[in-house]
Amino acid sequence: MALRIRGIALPGREEVVLQIEGDRLRTAAGDDGEHVIDGGWLVPGLVDVHSHPGTDKPGDEFDLALFREHMLQHRAAGVLAVRSPGSADPLSHRRHDEPDLPRLVTGGRWLATPGRFFEGFGRDVEEDDLAAAAVEEARASSGWCKIIGDWLPGTPPVPLDALTAAVRAVHAIGGRVAVHCQTAEGAEHAVLSGADSLEHGMHLDHALLPLMAERGTALVPTFTTFAKTVEQLGRGEPEHIRDWLRSGWDGMAATALAAHEAGVTVLAGTDSKPCGDIVGEVEWLIRAGLPPEVALGAASWTARSWLGLPGLTDGGWADVVAYDEDPTVRPAVLHSPSRIVLRGRVVL
């Protein structure tokens, strides 16, 4: 007997009847069959576009058992696709399709030029070798690479010409580039280089937002991790670092809202442990002033489209999360999915 899904699909808000064929969805001709979801609100599987499963803290070696634990934490929250922009796993490009885990979009190893990352945690490269290394990581991954574009205040960012050369080289092979940036100059270089996404974007000059919108550059603010960082600030950090982090945090909500209003794609990524807190990131986006539907889309249909992943369409993946209430009207229901289907299998 065919397995079917019936409900009101977001974002279109039309009632649909879909049939599960293997790990794919097909438009059903009728409403016969066994319904694994019968009513409610249907959302394309949630997405965390900035997560690093497999390590708990910077400097840790990649742990495959921990990777699976982290991915199952994501799955339990309805996160059915994860983009890992930077990994300590030298074999991350091989971990694309474990049948019980969310789908993984890899970004290779972090690319760190001298003095701009946790020592030995990423792939250390010289500035002159950055473009070639970026192409290598993009080819070895899901088409993405991740460049550490800046680091702490007082440390110059990757020079604009070196970063631009790397972005152009990756684009030339059809790849995409995520850039870590949390200083004003680092964020400026990321935008001007033509990067595909700014990861964090603290201290981003709002005057650059129209250019980001024009080029399709996304912003992934990662409120979740910075909220924890600022909350845990103590006397162990130099005062100028504490002030820099607090001022960056104080401006993040205004930046996310201004980016949305300027037409920039704002996406949801947690960059935090434990994994599976994407709903908290959606709530941060709502608190920043983004409409609930936009905030949810940042962790679902918008993120999936941006990554080239299908939504609730004929021939799309059978990755669906159902809720008893409209999550754009009552976002709190996102904490309580009524059903989760991954790769055509009911996992909740």
Side-chain angles (χ1 to χ4, degrees):
M1 181 180 293
L3 299 179
R4 303 225 168 161
I5 292 172
R6 183 176 65 83
I8 301 173
L10 291 174
R13 297 180 177 276
E14 295 181 351
E15 184 170 78
V16 298
V17 179
L18 300 167
Q19 181 168 307
I20 297 174
E21 294 184 3
D23 69 346
R24 297 282 172 170
L25 295 172
R26 299 294 177 187
T27 301
D31 202 15
D32 297 330
E34 178 186 351
H35 285 74
V36 296
I37 300 175
D38 192 7
W41 296 81
L42 310 178
V43 174
L46 301 182
V47 184
D48 190 330
V49 301
H50 190 128
S51 180
H52 304 292
T55 55
D56 270 332
K57 62 182 184 302
D60 288 353
E61 291 186 6
F62 178 82
D63 184 313
L64 182 57
L66 185 60
F67 166 82
R68 292 195 170 110
E69 178 183 330
H70 286 159
M71 293 294 274
L72 288 173
Q73 290 171 353
H74 279 304
R75 192 186 79 176
V79 175
L80 306 184
V82 173
R83 182 185 67 141
S84 180
S87 175
D89 180 10
L91 301 178
S92 64
H93 58 286
R94 298 185 186 176
R95 310 190 198 284
H96 285 220
D97 200 33
E98 298 198 31
D100 61 333
L101 300 182
R103 301 175 194 270
L104 180 65
V105 178
T106 58
R109 292 170 291 175
W110 292 275
L111 291 171
T113 50
R116 297 190 180 98
F117 200 40
F118 302 104
E119 186 175 354
F121 193 42
R123 176 181 173 182
D124 297 322
V125 298
E126 298 296 326
E127 291 174 1
D128 290 345
D129 300 324
L130 182 60
V135 168
E136 289 174 0
E137 293 299 325
R139 281 182 167 150
S141 73
S142 300
W144 280 90
C145 73
K146 169 75 169 292
I147 296 174
I148 306 300
D150 63 14
W151 200 226
L152 298 175
T155 302
V158 174
L160 179 57
D161 57 351
L163 190 58
T164 301
V167 171
R168 287 177 177 170
V170 173
H171 285 176
I173 63 163
R176 301 169 83 182
V177 181
V179 175
H180 164 104
C181 53
Q182 50 190 22
T183 68
E185 190 176 7
E188 180 181 17
H189 285 194
V191 174
L192 296 180
S193 72
D196 298 279
S197 68
L198 271 61
E199 310 298 317
H200 316 307
M202 278 206 317
H203 300 97
L204 172 64
D205 184 349
H206 292 192
L208 294 166
L209 294 174
L211 181 58
M212 290 179 65
E214 177 185 335
R215 292 182 170 180
T217 306
L219 174 65
V220 187
T222 63
F223 282 95
T224 302
T225 193
F226 281 106
K228 294 177 181 178
T229 298
V230 171
E231 182 181 355
Q232 295 168 3
L233 280 178
R235 297 184 179 276
E237 304 85 3
E239 183 177 359
H240 76 284
I241 296 295
R242 296 199 303 270
D243 291 345
W244 170 72
L245 283 167
R246 288 196 181 100
S247 66
W249 169 253
D250 289 345
M252 282 180 65
T255 295
L257 179 58
H260 165 66
E261 292 177 339
V264 173
T265 298
V266 179
L267 299 173
T270 60
D271 191 21
S272 182
K273 302 297 186 306
C275 292
D277 193 21
I278 196 63
V279 175
E281 187 70 17
V282 171
E283 291 171 338
W284 278 114
L285 292 173
I286 293 171
R287 284 195 286 272
L290 275 67
E293 187 160 342
V294 172
L296 177 53
S300 180
W301 53 85
T302 303
R304 297 180 79 86
S305 175
W306 184 75
L307 287 169
L309 309 180
L312 302 181
T313 58
D314 185 75
W317 290 333
D319 298 346
V320 186
V321 187
Y323 302 93
D324 291 333
E325 301 176 67
D326 183 349
T328 68
V329 174
R330 185 172 173 266
V333 78
L334 291 168
H335 290 283
S336 305
S338 58
R339 186 73 80 198
I340 299 173
V341 176
L342 171 64
R343 303 176 193 262
R345 296 173 50 242
V346 176
V347 295
L348 176 67

